[in-house]
Amino acid sequence: MNDHSSVPLDRPESRRVSDKLTRGRMIVALDALLSKRNVTLAAKHLEMQTSALSRLLGQMREEFGDPLFVRSGSGLVPTPFAEALRPKVQALAAAIDDLFEPTVVSPPAEAPFDPGWNVPSGIPVPPLVTRPANLLDGQPSPAEVITNLERVGQSNCPHDRLARHIGVLGIAGGGHGRPLTAEEAEEAMGIVLAGEADPVQTGALFGMMRVRGATAPELAGFVRAMQTHVAGRLGRTIHADVDWPCFTSPNYHNPPWFFHAARLIAQAGHRVLLHGNTGSGAASGRYEVVAAALGIPVCSTTDDIDTALATERIAYVPLTALAPQIHRLIGLHRVTQFRNAALEAVHLLRPAGGRTSLLGVTKPSHRELHRDTARLLGWSHIAVLGSVRDVAQYTPFRPATIHRLIDGEPSDLALPARIGEPPATPRPRGTNLDYWQGVWTGAMRDARATRIIVGTAAFALFSLPGNAGIGFDEAMAQAEELWKHRRPR
């Protein structure tokens, strides 16, 4: 009787199986290397030994007949061949992950937005305004670059002035540049917002800042230029008590409970201005739908904002209405796949002033950076919440940090998890938008959502100027009362 239960390793069928297994590992490893650009970091991500990944990289090089990566001072740089493989490798690696994802229904509280939330913005936005320069016939030497930059003054054309600032960031290569001063950054961003920058210059400015990381003076300069740009469009000053930026990715799928919290703060008598966007694609109008569903006026003109703050004490202003040019700068993410410094600065825009600003910041290193920027801008009050997304929404069953300015002085507070996370509430049939509205009206009872809303409102109350003497527990108690006595629409 023939026994086929085992196959000798030297048989062709066995080698083909072995090759398939190895190639599967190669795909996952190559995806990690393309993402991390560092063998040690990629190995840590894959939970394998660095030496094992190095051997696998050697196999990949032999298999593909290409070095795949070359070393540089900043890590591994993919070869053109590896870059060409990137889309297919990412898709295959994602497909492998999806195959082994547990086939369970997501918790209701984390359910993705239904199509009713995701609509394009109804506000038309013109393309990014630029002014191409005439390219030079020859490339100057580093010495000539330095000499030319020294001759650039305020009388020169915008292209030359912006070129000087870009040159300062990375003059002559070799890492000998320096960060921009606040004044230099303000002029550079002013040129970009005025539509006077060459497209190459805009890419170079943001790209070089991305590599090094923006500094507080640079962000402060960008914010001043943005504020001047927006003030010119608004035509006159608008006043609010609470500035609440809400710039989130279209891939942020959790319900925006912070809109409910902002509504509570407005009903307590404080004027709240929400402003932001959700990208520039098919979901760009999401917060316009959200605001309108809760009865928050969606404003596109100065008169609309004034009226809304006077009558409802709350308004939402899409960035597309405030400043299409800034909206387009942020939208460059779609062609660069990195967050540029304009997105960091726009969180500090404060288009209507405000006694305080409520920010949510994901990256720990950026939380103090935003507060330092606020100090340079001369602000007295700001509250930066350590959040899972770049919007001020507090989750009381997770630890959090608050970095504040109180009368211009920094103050930090670490908040432990205050309660255990309530169980997810089973949802009836209906859209997420219906459910989200129903939590406000009381038609739907969701303990988890209610804790987030009350906690976020408490964070806002705690951060208001004049409330520096109250503790967070007292703010929570005040928020509870606001929730109990809210005015359903």
Side-chain angles (χ1 to χ4, degrees):
M1 181 177 176
N2 292 331
D3 183 5
H4 298 288
S5 61
S6 62
V7 180
L9 291 179
D10 58 348
R11 290 183 57 175
E13 294 91 345
S14 178
R15 284 199 299 273
R16 282 197 294 271
V17 171
S18 177
D19 287 346
K20 287 181 179 180
L21 291 173
T22 301
R23 287 172 179 173
R25 296 180 70 225
M26 286 180 180
I27 292 297
V28 175
L30 183 54
D31 179 59
L33 287 167
L34 286 168
S35 173
K36 303 298 182 182
R37 297 195 176 196
N38 181 288
V39 175
T40 302
L41 293 178
K44 184 177 180 181
H45 174 72
L46 295 170
E47 298 182 351
M48 63 188 299
Q49 295 293 323
T50 303
S51 57
L53 182 57
S54 296
R55 288 194 296 273
L56 195 56
L57 176 57
Q59 290 178 267
M60 285 188 276
R61 285 169 166 162
E62 183 177 349
E63 182 79 16
F64 288 112
D66 185 88
L68 297 177
F69 298 93
V70 295
R71 296 192 180 278
S72 74
S74 58
L76 297 178
V77 178
T79 65
F81 177 78
E83 284 291 357
L85 289 178
R86 184 191 294 270
K88 185 175 289 187
V89 168
Q90 287 178 334
L92 289 171
I96 292 172
D97 287 340
D98 290 343
L99 183 63
F100 290 96
E101 281 294 317
T103 56
V104 296
V105 178
S106 299
E110 305 297 331
F113 290 109
D114 63 66
W117 302 82
N118 293 334
V119 299
S121 175
I123 301 173
V125 186
L128 181 69
V129 180
T130 60
R131 188 165 70 87
N134 295 320
L135 298 178
L136 299 175
D137 292 333
Q139 181 175 346
S141 67
E144 290 172 324
V145 170
I146 296 173
T147 302
N148 291 339
L149 290 176
E150 292 300 326
R151 290 201 297 261
V152 175
Q154 290 299 317
S155 60
N156 291 81
C157 74
H159 286 145
D160 291 341
R161 301 203 312 274
L162 184 54
R164 175 182 175 82
H165 299 319
I166 296 170
V168 163
L169 285 169
I171 192 167
H176 301 301
R178 63 165 174 81
L180 298 177
T181 65
E183 292 72 25
E184 290 168 338
E186 182 175 1
E187 182 180 41
M189 177 56 75
I191 292 170
V192 173
L193 293 179
E196 295 291 338
D198 184 274
V200 173
Q201 291 180 311
T202 301
L205 176 69
F206 288 141
M208 295 176 76
M209 291 181 71
R210 169 68 177 180
V211 169
R212 178 180 42 75
T215 64
E218 288 172 330
L219 287 183
F222 276 16
V223 172
R224 287 189 188 124
M226 288 178 170
Q227 289 177 329
T228 300
H229 180 74
V230 169
R233 290 180 55 83
L234 291 176
R236 67 177 187 275
T237 303
I238 302 168
H239 296 287
D241 298 318
V242 179
D243 174 73
W244 204 318
C246 41
F247 295 86
T248 57
S249 164
N251 298 321
Y252 175 53
H253 295 307
N254 293 345
W257 301 118
F258 64 90
F259 270 86
H260 291 338
R263 188 75 171 161
L264 289 180
I265 301 304
Q267 291 190 2
H270 305 285
R271 291 168 300 177
V272 181
L273 185 72
L274 298 133
H275 58 96
N277 76 351
T278 51
S280 54
S284 58
R286 178 187 295 167
Y287 286 162
E288 295 169 39
V289 172
V290 164
L294 199 61
I296 297 174
V298 178
C299 304
S300 58
T301 69
T302 307
D303 289 340
D304 291 343
I305 301 170
D306 266 343
T307 300
L309 291 177
T311 58
E312 301 291 332
R313 293 192 172 273
I314 190 168
Y316 171 71
V317 188
L319 184 63
T320 48
L322 274 177
Q325 188 79 338
I326 300 176
H327 172 79
R328 288 301 187 193
L329 285 179
I330 293 173
L332 291 176
H333 179 274
R334 299 178 72 182
V335 295
T336 63
Q337 288 299 300
F338 69 76
R339 290 166 57 109
N340 63 52
L343 182 53
E344 303 302 335
V346 77
H347 288 269
L348 296 157
L349 182 58
R350 268 198 188 181
R355 296 165 61 206
T356 191
S357 290
L358 307 180
L359 275 64
V361 178
T362 305
K363 291 186 177 180
S365 61
H366 283 194
R367 294 165 191 167
E368 292 193 48
L369 174 65
H370 281 74
R371 183 175 63 183
D372 291 344
T373 302
R375 293 188 76 186
L376 291 175
L377 291 168
W379 294 4
S380 297
H381 297 275
I382 189 175
V384 181
L385 175 68
S387 178
V388 296
R389 286 289 176 178
D390 290 332
V391 69
Q393 178 168 289
Y394 172 58
T395 305
F397 28 87
R398 297 192 187 120
T401 57
I402 302 177
H403 300 277
R404 290 195 292 170
L405 284 180
I406 303 174
D407 294 324
E409 295 300 319
S411 175
D412 295 340
L413 177 66
L415 295 175
R418 304 180 64 82
I419 59 173
E421 183 166 0
T425 302
R427 293 189 182 179
R429 291 187 178 182
T431 67
N432 290 340
L433 182 59
D434 293 335
Y435 189 92
W436 181 82
Q437 288 174 292
V439 171
W440 175 264
T441 63
M444 304 293 180
R445 296 188 180 276
D446 187 322
R448 186 180 186 279
T450 300
R451 291 298 90 206
I452 293 174
I453 296 165
V454 171
T456 303
F459 161 72
L461 292 170
F462 179 72
S463 305
L464 281 169
N467 283 357
I470 73 169
F472 203 85
D473 288 337
E474 187 177 346
M476 285 290 288
Q478 292 178 10
E480 290 279 8
E481 289 301 309
L482 289 175
W483 178 250
K484 290 177 184 177
H485 297 97
R486 69 191 183 280
R487 297 189 299 274
R489 196 179 156 206

